[in-house]
Amino acid sequence: MTSIDSSSDLAGHLPTAPVSMRAVPSAISGVLAAATSLAVGHLVAGLLAPAASPLLAVGSTLVDLAPQPVKAIAIDTFGENDKAALLIAISLVLVVIAAAIGLVASRRLAVGVGAVAGVGAIGAVAALARPVAVPTDALPSLFGAAIGVLVLVLLIAPERLGRVGRVLLDPGLADAPRPERRRFLVAAGAAVGLTLVAGGLGAILASARRTAIGRIAVPVATDPAPVLPAGAALKIPGIAPFYTPNADFYRVDTALDVPVVDPATWRLRVHGMVDREIDLTFDDLLQLPTIERDITLTCVSNQVGGGYVGTARWIGVPLRTILDMAGVRPGADQIVSRSVDGMTIGTPTAVALDGRDAMLALAMNGEPLPAVHGFPVRMLVPGLYGYVSATKWLVDIELTTFAAYDPYWVQRGWAPRGPIKTMARIDTPRPLTPAAAGAVMVGGVAWAQHRGVERVEVRIDEGDWHEATLSKVDTVDTWRQWTFAWTATPGRHLIEARATDGTGMIQTGDRAEPFPDGATGWHSILVPVA
Ligand SMILES: Nc1nc2c(c(=O)[nH]1)N[C@H]1C(S)=C(S)[C@@H](COP(=O)(O)O)O[C@H]1N2
Ligand SMILES: [Mo]
């Protein structure tokens, strides 16, 4: 074996003996090459561009490319774990591809090398295709692929690396019994070590980036929220609390890796159809008057009875303040806001400026915005679903028209305007959970942001509608809790609830899926009573 030195012939055919590695070590070689490649890519990304880490870049591109039904199924099946599920799925597919590459490489090394390079190229292209990509974003995948090729050759045909391979794999081993096996184990051990070290360093760099960010103080609101009326925030077992704790607040976004935005370097650019472009720093923003408001946020993807809804007390700068500074030109009927990771969200200008408490929020329930909820600045417009109003990690606001530009979700078929639909949700009893006959408290929450909830009604087994008792109104922009005292009789019962909004409109019972403008229908549950 030591007689073969074909270092100049990496991509060609083996001149003498064909590589005759058995299947299992070949497949392992492919997987180790992939693992090392991803880890090194992750490390390079940690140094250069976190979002360009190969797995994240490919994952993010898949998120953007996924057709609507696939997205809907993923969200329904995995809920808020959809991101983890996607990364696991990509990793599993990659293990299979990598094992196949290893098998191919053991027969035709050049083909295997070409395949590793090809996979690296896919990573690089995915990174470059991100909306906010810069050319260096290709580097993590390219570096990773180079290391992947090296590891593959080292494991499958170290003699092809010539002197380099011999030095790397200690010539002393040649005297050992079964030197090839020993060489393979040494090389495999080195690949595992490199994977752990590079991957670990990459992870440390990523978390260092997060912790390096300066803490911000929660601003004292110039215009505090009105005192919460007594009876507006009831504590009833089984019913969602009026204020959703930050840790329990639903999270919906396309960000596979939570963007890290440093307030020290944060900028907000306001441009497009405005009289004066403006460019604000975080300190500039903090100089402006702030409002404190309770707002219930809802996701258009929320199924009837679902949990993608929550209420928080927010502090922020009124959006109007910023737009007035820039001077919105007539005709600019759409505000397109952008996040640091390139998400675009379009909001009707007329709605944002009709006097409701649209804001650039800085604080949530007495804390700076949590990273997953858009730190340091996000947009909020009461009454509109999040996908048309609630841009997290906000960095850019462009005044434009609906005719001129379709933002991210609209490009994918969702409605350009997304007013929140009236909805009552039953939180207790739990569906299909046996209850004891007698007094049973039925209860939940209902929302119809910016119109307010006027009434909630409940019916049992499609009988008459009964009015539920509502918590006191906080504002028209918040949900209300409701309860209904039910005398349960033995048997299986169907419980349904519906709300009426502040304009007197009763929530429709027609069932519709969330796509394209929000689910409708009455929430219903089946409860066995013994
Ligand atoms: N940058 C960014 N902002 C975003 C999104 C996103 O994917 N990226 N998703 C929007 C959607 S669809 C919703 S419902 C809300 C959810 O906000 P939350 O995660 O804080 O509850 O954020 C909105 N803002
Ligand atoms: Mo959403």
Side-chain angles (χ1 to χ4, degrees), residues 250 252-253 298-302 308 385-388 409 414:
Y250 81 92
V252 169
D253 56 59
T298 309
C299 181
V300 70
S301 293
N302 196 42
Y308 292 161
Y385 286 121
Y387 82 105
V388 289
W409 295 107
W414 293 82

Side-chain angles (χ1 to χ4, degrees), residues 207-441:
S207 81
R209 210 178 270 265
R210 263 172 223 294
T211 48
I213 286 179
R215 302 203 178 281
I216 64 159
V218 173
V220 177
T222 335
D223 176 1
V227 176
L228 187 70
L234 306 176
K235 287 196 184 67
I236 303 168
I239 300 183
F242 181 76
Y243 291 111
T244 314
N246 289 355
D248 300 341
F249 208 96
Y250 81 92
R251 172 187 171 200
V252 169
D253 56 59
T254 59
L256 279 184
D257 193 32
V258 179
V260 180
V261 184
D262 189 347
T265 54
W266 179 87
R267 289 282 169 133
L268 176 67
R269 185 170 165 237
V270 183
H271 61 111
M273 296 171 67
V274 293
D275 295 331
R276 310 158 278 283
E277 263 193 33
I278 56 175
D279 187 359
L280 296 174
T281 65
F282 195 71
D283 280 337
D284 294 337
L285 196 68
L286 288 180
Q287 302 308 310
L288 300 170
T290 49
I291 53 175
E292 178 185 48
R293 296 290 184 268
D294 295 338
I295 298 170
T296 301
L297 182 61
T298 309
C299 181
V300 70
S301 293
N302 196 42
Q303 294 283 358
V304 172
Y308 292 161
V309 54
T311 301
R313 177 159 284 199
W314 312 86
I315 297 174
V317 174
L319 179 59
R320 170 175 285 284
T321 307
I322 307 290
L323 294 186
D324 283 351
M325 286 166 69
V328 176
R329 294 235 177 105
D333 63 1
Q334 183 176 222
I335 302 168
V336 171
S337 47
R338 288 186 172 78
S339 70
V340 71
D341 64 343
M343 168 56 65
T344 53
I345 283 183
T347 309
T349 312
V351 173
L353 294 181
D354 73 356
R356 68 186 74 199
D357 293 315
M359 65 167 96
L360 305 187
L362 308 161
M364 179 179 187
N365 289 330
E367 293 170 17
L369 278 183
V372 291
H373 296 296
F375 183 87
V377 183
R378 78 174 305 169
M379 209 164 104
L380 286 176
V381 183
L384 300 182
Y385 286 121
Y387 82 105
V388 289
S389 67
T391 318
K392 306 194 270 190
W393 314 292
L394 175 75
V395 292
D396 186 291
I397 293 178
E398 180 181 355
L399 274 295
T400 178
T401 62
F402 277 100
Y405 185 75
D406 286 342
Y408 186 92
W409 295 107
V410 178
Q411 287 169 25
R412 288 157 178 80
W414 293 82
R417 291 168 171 80
I420 296 172
K421 295 178 177 176
T422 305
M423 184 63 66
R425 187 182 76 195
I426 306 167
D427 289 349
T428 188
R430 303 301 303 160
L432 303 176
T433 308
V440 171
M441 168 80 82

